Amino acid sequence: MSVMREELHHLVDRLPDEKVAPLLRLVKDQLDEPPAVRDLPFIGMLAAEPDFAERSEEILKSEDNHRL
């Protein structure tokens, strides 16, 4: 590894987490690679009874609901 790459690694390791994302975007923009396609989970809307929102925590905690 070249001296410049080692220095860059060292400097990046010293950055606070909130400054890493913008730097990562900058570096990725310098590459000639297409952006990675992210497989995001499906998020939808649901029509339900008026008390559905009030019971949402209970429903989410129930044993009948589990990760797919």
Side-chain angles (χ1 to χ4, degrees):
M1 187 180 308
S2 72
V3 174
M4 286 191 299
R5 284 181 184 266
E6 287 181 22
E7 181 180 6
L8 180 60
H9 280 268
H10 177 72
L11 292 171
V12 170
D13 288 341
R14 291 177 44 204
L15 284 173
D17 285 343
E18 63 272 6
K19 294 193 176 187
V20 173
L23 182 59
L24 179 60
R25 282 192 300 274
L26 177 67
V27 172
K28 284 183 175 183
D29 287 345
Q30 297 299 311
L31 300 173
D32 290 332
E33 298 174 358
V37 176
R38 296 179 58 193
D39 186 21
L40 299 175
F42 172 77
I43 299 174
M45 295 183 66
L46 175 69
E49 300 295 321
D51 68 336
F52 185 73
E54 294 172 5
R55 297 184 318 117
S56 62
E57 286 188 29
E58 174 188 326
I59 294 168
L60 290 172
K61 289 179 184 176
S62 74
E63 293 179 357
D64 293 336
N65 294 296
H66 48 75
R67 276 188 104 137
L68 298 174

